[in-house]
Structure formats: C-alpha cells, structure tokens
Coordinates of all heavy atoms in Angstrom, one line a residue:
M926 N 53.2 36.1 33.8 CA 54.5 36.2 33.3 C 54.5 36.5 31.8 O 55.4 37.2 31.3 CB 55.3 34.9 33.5 CG 55.5 34.7 35.0 SD 56.4 33.1 35.5 CE 56.7 32.2 34.1
I927 N 53.5 36.0 31.1 CA 53.4 36.3 29.7 C 53.3 37.7 29.4 O 53.8 38.3 28.4 CB 52.2 35.5 29.0 CG1 52.4 34.0 29.1 CG2 51.9 35.9 27.6 CD1 51.2 33.1 28.8
A928 N 52.5 38.5 30.2 CA 52.2 39.9 29.9 C 53.1 40.8 30.8 O 52.8 42.0 30.8 CB 50.7 40.2 30.1
E929 N 54.1 40.3 31.4 CA 54.9 41.1 32.4 C 55.4 42.4 31.7 O 55.3 43.5 32.3 CB 56.0 40.3 33.0 CG 56.7 41.0 34.1 CD 57.7 40.1 34.7 OE1 57.9 38.9 34.3 OE2 58.4 40.5 35.7
S930 N 56.0 42.3 30.6 CA 56.6 43.4 30.0 C 55.5 44.4 29.5 O 55.7 45.6 29.5 CB 57.6 43.0 28.8 OG 56.8 42.4 27.8
F931 N 54.4 43.9 29.0 CA 53.3 44.7 28.5 C 52.7 45.4 29.6 O 52.4 46.6 29.5 CB 52.3 43.8 27.8 CG 51.0 44.5 27.4 CD1 51.0 45.3 26.3 CD2 49.9 44.3 28.2 CE1 49.8 45.9 25.9 CE2 48.7 45.0 27.8 CZ 48.7 45.8 26.7
L932 N 52.5 44.8 30.8 CA 51.8 45.5 31.9 C 52.7 46.5 32.6 O 52.2 47.4 33.2 CB 51.4 44.4 32.9 CG 50.3 43.5 32.5 CD1 50.1 42.4 33.5 CD2 49.0 44.2 32.2
A933 N 54.0 46.3 32.5 CA 55.0 47.3 33.1 C 54.6 47.6 34.5 O 54.6 48.8 34.9 CB 55.0 48.5 32.2
G934 N 54.3 46.6 35.3 CA 54.0 46.8 36.8 C 52.6 47.3 37.1 O 52.3 47.5 38.3
E935 N 51.8 47.5 36.1 CA 50.4 47.9 36.4 C 49.5 46.7 36.8 O 49.8 45.6 36.4 CB 49.8 48.6 35.1 CG 50.4 49.9 34.7 CD 50.2 51.0 35.7 OE1 49.1 51.1 36.2 OE2 51.1 51.7 36.0
A936 N 48.5 47.0 37.5 CA 47.5 46.0 38.0 C 46.7 45.5 36.8 O 46.6 46.2 35.8 CB 46.6 46.6 39.0
C937 N 46.3 44.2 36.9 CA 45.5 43.7 35.8 C 44.5 42.6 36.3 O 44.6 42.2 37.5 CB 46.4 43.1 34.7 SG 47.2 41.5 35.3
A938 N 43.6 42.2 35.5 CA 42.7 41.0 35.8 C 42.9 40.0 34.7 O 42.9 40.3 33.5 CB 41.3 41.5 35.9
L939 N 43.0 38.7 35.1 CA 43.0 37.6 34.2 C 41.8 36.8 34.3 O 41.5 36.3 35.4 CB 44.2 36.8 34.4 CG 44.3 35.4 33.7 CD1 44.4 35.7 32.2 CD2 45.4 34.6 34.2
I940 N 41.0 36.8 33.3 CA 39.7 36.0 33.3 C 39.8 34.9 32.2 O 40.0 35.3 31.1 CB 38.5 36.9 33.1 CG1 38.5 38.0 34.1 CG2 37.2 36.1 33.0 CD1 37.4 39.1 33.9
L941 N 39.7 33.7 32.6 CA 39.8 32.6 31.7 C 38.6 32.6 30.8 O 37.5 32.9 31.2 CB 40.0 31.3 32.4 CG 41.2 31.2 33.3 CD1 41.3 29.9 34.1 CD2 42.5 31.4 32.5
G942 N 38.7 32.2 29.6 CA 37.7 32.2 28.6 C 36.4 31.4 28.9 O 35.3 31.7 28.3
D943 N 36.5 30.4 29.7 CA 35.3 29.6 30.0 C 34.6 30.0 31.3 O 33.8 29.2 31.8 CB 35.7 28.1 30.0 CG 36.7 27.8 31.0 OD1 37.3 28.7 31.6 OD2 36.9 26.6 31.3
N944 N 34.9 31.1 31.8 CA 34.3 31.6 33.1 C 33.4 32.7 32.8 O 33.6 33.6 32.0 CB 35.4 32.0 34.0 CG 36.3 30.9 34.5 OD1 35.8 30.0 35.2 ND2 37.5 30.8 34.1
V945 N 32.3 32.8 33.7 CA 31.4 33.8 33.6 C 31.3 34.4 35.1 O 31.2 33.7 36.0 CB 30.0 33.3 33.3 CG1 28.9 34.5 33.3 CG2 30.0 32.7 31.9
F946 N 31.5 35.7 35.2 CA 31.4 36.4 36.5 C 30.0 36.9 36.7 O 29.6 37.8 35.9 CB 32.5 37.5 36.6 CG 33.9 37.0 36.8 CD1 34.6 36.5 35.7 CD2 34.4 37.0 38.0 CE1 35.9 36.0 35.9 CE2 35.7 36.5 38.2 CZ 36.4 36.0 37.2
Y947 N 29.4 36.5 37.8 CA 28.1 37.0 38.2 C 27.9 36.7 39.6 O 28.7 36.0 40.2 CB 27.0 36.4 37.3 CG 26.7 34.9 37.7 CD1 25.7 34.6 38.6 CD2 27.5 33.9 37.1 CE1 25.4 33.3 38.9 CE2 27.3 32.6 37.5 CZ 26.2 32.3 38.3 OH 26.0 31.0 38.7
G948 N 26.8 37.2 40.2 CA 26.5 36.8 41.6 C 26.3 38.0 42.5 O 26.6 39.1 42.2
Q949 N 25.8 37.6 43.6 CA 25.5 38.6 44.7 C 26.8 39.2 45.2 O 27.8 38.5 45.4 CB 24.8 37.9 45.8 CG 24.0 38.8 46.7 CD 23.1 38.0 47.6 OE1 23.5 36.9 48.1 NE2 21.9 38.4 47.9
H950 N 26.9 40.5 45.4 CA 28.0 41.2 45.9 C 29.2 41.2 45.0 O 30.4 41.4 45.4 CB 28.4 40.7 47.3 CG 27.3 40.6 48.2 ND1 26.6 41.6 48.7 CD2 26.7 39.5 48.8 CE1 25.7 41.2 49.5 NE2 25.7 39.9 49.6
L951 N 29.0 40.9 43.7 CA 30.1 40.9 42.7 C 30.9 42.2 42.7 O 32.2 42.2 42.8 CB 29.7 40.5 41.3 CG 30.8 40.5 40.2 CD1 31.8 39.5 40.6 CD2 30.2 40.3 38.9
T952 N 30.2 43.3 42.6 CA 30.9 44.6 42.5 C 31.7 44.8 43.8 O 32.9 45.3 43.7 CB 29.9 45.7 42.3 OG1 29.2 45.5 41.1 CG2 30.6 47.1 42.2
A953 N 31.2 44.5 45.0 CA 31.9 44.7 46.2 C 33.1 43.8 46.3 O 34.2 44.2 46.8 CB 31.0 44.5 47.4
N954 N 33.0 42.6 45.8 CA 34.1 41.6 45.9 C 35.2 42.1 44.9 O 36.4 42.0 45.2 CB 33.6 40.2 45.5 CG 32.8 39.6 46.6 OD1 33.0 39.9 47.7 ND2 32.0 38.7 46.2
L955 N 34.8 42.6 43.7 CA 35.9 43.1 42.8 C 36.5 44.3 43.4 O 37.8 44.5 43.3 CB 35.2 43.4 41.5 CG 34.7 42.2 40.6 CD1 34.0 42.7 39.4 CD2 35.9 41.3 40.2
N956 N 35.8 45.2 44.0 CA 36.4 46.4 44.6 C 37.4 46.0 45.7 O 38.4 46.6 45.9 CB 35.3 47.4 45.1 CG 34.7 48.2 44.0 OD1 35.3 48.5 43.0 ND2 33.4 48.5 44.2
R957 N 37.0 45.1 46.5 CA 37.8 44.6 47.6 C 39.1 44.0 47.1 O 40.2 44.3 47.6 CB 37.1 43.6 48.5 CG 37.9 43.3 49.8 CD 37.2 42.4 50.8 NE 36.8 41.1 50.2 CZ 35.6 40.7 50.2 NH1 34.6 41.3 50.7 NH2 35.3 39.5 49.6
A958 N 39.0 43.2 46.0 CA 40.2 42.7 45.4 C 41.1 43.8 44.8 O 42.3 43.7 44.9 CB 39.8 41.7 44.3
W959 N 40.5 44.8 44.2 CA 41.3 45.9 43.7 C 42.0 46.6 44.7 O 43.2 47.1 44.5 CB 40.3 46.9 43.0 CG 41.0 48.0 42.4 CD1 41.0 49.3 42.9 CD2 41.9 48.1 41.3 NE1 41.8 50.1 42.1 CE2 42.3 49.4 41.1 CE3 42.3 47.1 40.3 CZ2 43.2 49.8 40.1 CZ3 43.2 47.5 39.3 CH2 43.6 48.8 39.2
Q960 N 41.5 46.8 45.9 CA 42.1 47.5 47.0 C 43.4 46.7 47.5 O 44.2 47.2 48.2 CB 41.2 47.7 48.2 CG 40.0 48.6 47.8 CD 40.4 49.9 47.3 OE1 41.3 50.6 47.9 NE2 39.8 50.4 46.2
T961 N 43.4 45.4 47.3 CA 44.5 44.5 47.7 C 45.5 44.3 46.6 O 45.8 43.2 46.2 CB 44.0 43.2 48.2 OG1 42.7 43.3 48.6 CG2 44.8 42.6 49.3
Q962 N 46.0 45.4 46.0 CA 46.8 45.3 44.8 C 48.1 44.6 44.9 O 48.7 44.2 43.9 CB 47.0 46.7 44.2 CG 45.7 47.3 43.6 CD 46.0 48.6 43.0 OE1 47.1 48.9 42.6 NE2 44.9 49.4 42.9
S963 N 48.6 44.4 46.1 CA 49.9 43.8 46.3 C 49.8 42.3 46.3 O 50.8 41.5 46.4 CB 50.5 44.2 47.6 OG 49.7 43.8 48.7
R964 N 48.5 41.7 46.2 CA 48.3 40.3 46.2 C 47.4 39.9 45.1 O 46.7 40.7 44.5 CB 47.7 39.9 47.5 CG 48.6 40.3 48.7 CD 47.9 39.9 50.0 NE 47.3 38.6 49.9 CZ 47.4 37.7 50.8 NH1 48.0 38.0 51.9 NH2 46.8 36.5 50.7
A965 N 47.4 38.6 44.8 CA 46.4 38.1 43.8 C 45.1 37.6 44.5 O 45.1 37.3 45.7 CB 47.0 36.8 43.1
T966 N 44.0 37.7 43.8 CA 42.7 37.2 44.3 C 42.2 36.2 43.4 O 42.2 36.4 42.2 CB 41.7 38.4 44.4 OG1 42.3 39.4 45.3 CG2 40.4 37.9 45.0
V967 N 41.8 35.0 43.9 CA 41.3 34.0 43.1 C 39.8 33.9 43.5 O 39.5 33.7 44.7 CB 42.0 32.6 43.4 CG1 41.3 31.5 42.6 CG2 43.4 32.7 43.1
F968 N 38.9 34.0 42.6 CA 37.5 33.9 42.8 C 37.0 32.4 42.5 O 37.4 31.9 41.5 CB 36.7 34.8 41.9 CG 36.8 36.3 42.3 CD1 37.8 37.0 41.7 CD2 36.0 36.8 43.3 CE1 37.9 38.4 42.0 CE2 36.2 38.2 43.6 CZ 37.1 38.9 43.0
G969 N 36.3 31.9 43.4 CA 35.7 30.5 43.2 C 34.3 30.5 43.6 O 33.7 31.5 44.1
Y970 N 33.6 29.4 43.3 CA 32.2 29.3 43.5 C 31.9 27.9 43.9 O 32.4 26.9 43.3 CB 31.5 29.7 42.2 CG 30.0 29.8 42.4 CD1 29.4 30.9 42.9 CD2 29.1 28.8 42.0 CE1 28.1 31.1 43.0 CE2 27.8 28.9 42.1 CZ 27.2 30.1 42.7 OH 25.9 30.2 42.8
H971 N 31.1 27.7 44.9 CA 30.7 26.4 45.4 C 29.8 25.7 44.4 O 28.8 26.3 43.9 CB 29.9 26.5 46.7 CG 29.6 25.2 47.4 ND1 28.5 24.4 47.0 CD2 30.2 24.5 48.4 CE1 28.5 23.3 47.8 NE2 29.6 23.4 48.6
V972 N 30.1 24.5 43.9 CA 29.3 23.8 42.9 C 28.9 22.4 43.4 O 29.6 21.9 44.3 CB 30.1 23.7 41.6 CG1 30.3 25.0 40.9 CG2 31.4 22.9 41.8
A973 N 27.9 21.9 42.9 CA 27.4 20.5 43.3 C 28.3 19.4 42.7 O 28.4 18.4 43.4 CB 25.9 20.3 42.8
N974 N 28.9 19.6 41.6 CA 29.7 18.6 41.0 C 31.1 19.1 40.7 O 31.5 19.5 39.6 CB 29.1 18.2 39.6 CG 29.8 17.1 39.0 OD1 30.7 16.5 39.6 ND2 29.5 16.8 37.7
P975 N 32.0 19.1 41.7 CA 33.3 19.7 41.6 C 34.2 18.9 40.6 O 35.2 19.4 40.1 CB 33.9 19.6 43.0 CG 33.1 18.6 43.7 CD 31.8 18.6 43.1
H976 N 33.8 17.6 40.3 CA 34.6 16.8 39.3 C 34.6 17.5 37.9 O 35.5 17.2 37.1 CB 34.0 15.4 39.1 CG 34.0 14.6 40.4 ND1 32.9 14.6 41.3 CD2 35.0 13.9 40.9 CE1 33.3 13.8 42.3 NE2 34.5 13.4 42.1
A977 N 33.7 18.4 37.6 CA 33.6 19.0 36.3 C 34.3 20.3 36.2 O 34.3 20.9 35.2 CB 32.1 19.2 35.9
Y978 N 35.0 20.7 37.3 CA 35.5 22.1 37.3 C 36.9 22.1 37.9 O 37.4 21.0 38.4 CB 34.7 23.0 38.2 CG 33.3 23.1 37.7 CD1 32.3 22.3 38.2 CD2 32.9 24.0 36.7 CE1 31.0 22.4 37.8 CE2 31.6 24.1 36.2 CZ 30.7 23.3 36.8 OH 29.4 23.4 36.3
G979 N 37.6 23.2 37.9 CA 38.8 23.4 38.7 C 38.5 23.6 40.1 O 37.6 24.3 40.5
V980 N 39.2 22.9 41.0 CA 39.0 23.0 42.4 C 40.2 23.6 43.1 O 41.3 23.2 42.9 CB 38.7 21.6 43.0 CG1 38.6 21.6 44.5 CG2 37.5 21.0 42.4
I981 N 39.9 24.6 44.0 CA 40.9 25.3 44.7 C 41.1 24.7 46.1 O 40.1 24.4 46.8 CB 40.5 26.8 44.9 CG1 40.2 27.4 43.6 CG2 41.6 27.5 45.6 CD1 39.5 28.7 43.7
E982 N 42.4 24.5 46.5 CA 42.7 24.0 47.8 C 43.3 25.1 48.6 O 44.3 25.8 48.1 CB 43.6 22.8 47.8 CG 44.0 22.3 49.1 CD 45.1 21.2 49.1 OE1 45.6 20.9 48.0 OE2 45.4 20.6 50.1
F983 N 42.8 25.4 49.8 CA 43.3 26.5 50.6 C 43.9 26.0 51.9 O 43.6 24.9 52.4 CB 42.1 27.4 51.1 CG 41.4 28.1 50.0 CD1 40.2 27.6 49.4 CD2 41.9 29.3 49.5 CE1 39.5 28.2 48.4 CE2 41.2 29.9 48.5 CZ 40.0 29.4 47.9
N984 N 44.9 26.8 52.4 CA 45.5 26.4 53.7 C 44.6 27.0 54.8 O 43.6 27.6 54.6 CB 46.9 26.8 53.8 CG 47.1 28.3 53.9 OD1 46.2 29.1 54.0 ND2 48.4 28.7 53.7
D985 N 45.0 26.9 56.1 CA 44.2 27.3 57.2 C 44.1 28.9 57.3 O 43.1 29.4 57.9 CB 44.9 26.9 58.5 CG 44.8 25.4 58.7 OD1 43.9 24.8 58.1 OD2 45.6 24.8 59.5
T986 N 44.9 29.6 56.6 CA 44.8 31.1 56.6 C 44.2 31.6 55.3 O 44.1 32.8 55.1 CB 46.2 31.7 56.8 OG1 47.1 31.3 55.7 CG2 46.8 31.3 58.1
G987 N 43.7 30.7 54.5 CA 42.9 31.2 53.3 C 43.8 31.4 52.1 O 43.3 31.8 51.0
N988 N 45.1 31.0 52.1 CA 45.9 31.1 51.0 C 45.8 29.9 50.1 O 45.6 28.8 50.6 CB 47.4 31.3 51.4 CG 47.7 32.6 52.0 OD1 47.2 33.6 51.6 ND2 48.4 32.6 53.2
V989 N 45.9 30.1 48.8 CA 45.7 29.0 47.8 C 47.0 28.1 47.9 O 48.1 28.5 47.7 CB 45.5 29.5 46.4 CG1 45.5 28.4 45.4 CG2 44.3 30.4 46.3
L990 N 46.7 26.8 48.0 CA 47.8 25.8 48.0 C 47.9 25.2 46.6 O 49.0 25.0 46.1 CB 47.5 24.7 49.0 CG 47.6 25.0 50.4 CD1 47.2 23.9 51.3 CD2 48.9 25.5 50.8
S991 N 46.7 25.0 45.9 CA 46.7 24.4 44.6 C 45.4 24.6 43.9 O 44.4 24.9 44.5 CB 47.0 22.9 44.7 OG 45.9 22.2 45.3
I992 N 45.4 24.5 42.6 CA 44.2 24.5 41.8 C 44.3 23.3 40.9 O 45.3 23.2 40.1 CB 44.1 25.8 40.9 CG1 44.1 27.0 41.8 CG2 42.8 25.7 40.1 CD1 44.1 28.4 41.1
E993 N 43.4 22.4 41.0 CA 43.4 21.2 40.2 C 42.2 21.1 39.3 O 41.1 21.3 39.7 CB 43.4 19.9 41.2 CG 43.5 18.6 40.4 CD 43.6 17.4 41.4 OE1 43.5 17.6 42.6 OE2 43.6 16.3 40.9
E994 N 42.4 20.9 38.0 CA 41.4 20.9 37.0 C 40.7 19.5 37.0 O 41.4 18.5 36.8 CB 42.0 21.2 35.6 CG 41.0 21.3 34.5 CD 40.1 22.5 34.7 OE1 40.4 23.5 35.4 OE2 39.0 22.5 34.1
K995 N 39.4 19.5 37.1 CA 38.6 18.3 37.0 C 39.2 17.1 37.8 O 39.5 16.0 37.3 CB 38.4 17.9 35.6 CG 37.6 18.9 34.8 CD 37.4 18.5 33.4 CE 36.6 19.5 32.6 NZ 37.2 20.8 32.3
P996 N 39.3 17.3 39.2 CA 39.9 16.2 40.0 C 39.0 15.0 40.2 O 37.8 15.1 40.2 CB 40.2 16.9 41.3 CG 39.1 17.9 41.4 CD 38.9 18.4 40.0
L997 N 39.7 13.8 40.2 CA 38.9 12.6 40.5 C 38.4 12.6 42.0 O 37.3 12.1 42.3 CB 39.8 11.4 40.3 CG 40.2 11.1 38.8 CD1 41.1 9.9 38.7 CD2 38.9 10.9 38.0
H998 N 39.2 13.1 42.9 CA 38.9 13.2 44.3 C 39.0 14.6 44.8 O 40.0 15.0 45.4 CB 39.8 12.2 45.1 CG 39.8 10.8 44.6 ND1 38.7 10.0 44.8 CD2 40.7 10.2 43.9 CE1 39.0 8.8 44.2 NE2 40.2 8.9 43.6
P999 N 38.0 15.4 44.5 CA 38.1 16.9 44.9 C 38.2 17.1 46.4 O 37.7 16.4 47.2 CB 36.8 17.5 44.4 CG 36.0 16.4 43.8 CD 36.7 15.1 43.9
C1000 N 39.1 18.1 46.8 CA 39.3 18.4 48.2 C 38.2 19.3 48.7 O 38.1 19.5 49.9 CB 40.6 19.0 48.4 SG 40.9 20.5 47.4
S1001 N 37.3 19.9 47.8 CA 36.2 20.7 48.2 C 35.2 20.8 47.1 O 35.4 20.3 46.0 CB 36.8 22.1 48.6 OG 37.2 22.8 47.5
H1002 N 34.2 21.6 47.3 CA 33.2 21.9 46.3 C 33.4 23.2 45.7 O 32.6 23.8 45.0 CB 31.8 21.8 46.9 CG 31.3 20.4 47.1 ND1 31.7 19.6 48.2 CD2 30.6 19.6 46.3 CE1 31.2 18.4 48.1 NE2 30.5 18.4 47.0

C-alpha cells in the first residue's frame, strides 16, 4: 500500500532487510512466482528453531492465514 501510487499497477518484489534469498531451485521458484502475477507469493524456509523467526500458517489449500513474528508456540517450522 505504501508504494501503490509509485508502482502504478506494475509487478514488484518486496524483500525485507533481514532476509537472504538462496537455495536450490531459487531461480525456478522466482520464475514461477513471476508467472503468477495476479497473486502474491510468500517464500518460507524450514528452520530448526522457529521461535527465532516469523512463522507462516497455511490453510488446507496452501493459502497464508497468518504470519507471526517470533511466536512462543509456533504452528510450524
């Protein structure tokens, strides 16, 4: 919403400052997200200690229900 007038309807990527993007199939995943321009794509990564990160909660169809920062009782890893 902050950049809505600046973007003027164009596609964009929002990367938070404390995130690093890397990993197997990264280019393919980014290309797939780009092809789905009518929707948002949230990238997540399985971690051993989810208490230290933001945790994404998905519904049964894979849509994001919530993102909780550093939860005491994480719903996933």
Side-chain angles (χ1 to χ4, degrees):
M926 291 178 358
I927 294 170
E929 187 174 4
S930 62
F931 173 78
L932 293 172
E935 293 294 319
C937 71
L939 171 65
I940 301 172
L941 301 176
D943 61 347
N944 291 291
V945 177
F946 282 80
Y947 71 97
Q949 204 171 35
H950 311 293
L951 176 62
T952 301
N954 289 332
L955 290 173
N956 283 328
R957 188 172 61 233
W959 178 255
Q960 298 303 315
T961 334
Q962 291 185 20
S963 64
R964 300 176 47 132
T966 301
V967 177
F968 290 94
Y970 189 80
H971 187 279
V972 295
N974 182 10
H976 296 96
Y978 301 95
V980 175
I981 304 168
E982 179 183 9
F983 296 97
N984 68 11
D985 293 338
T986 60
N988 292 315
V989 174
L990 294 176
S991 67
I992 302 174
E993 186 178 357
E994 186 68 22
K995 297 181 177 74
L997 293 175
H998 305 288
C1000 59
S1001 71
H1002 283 85

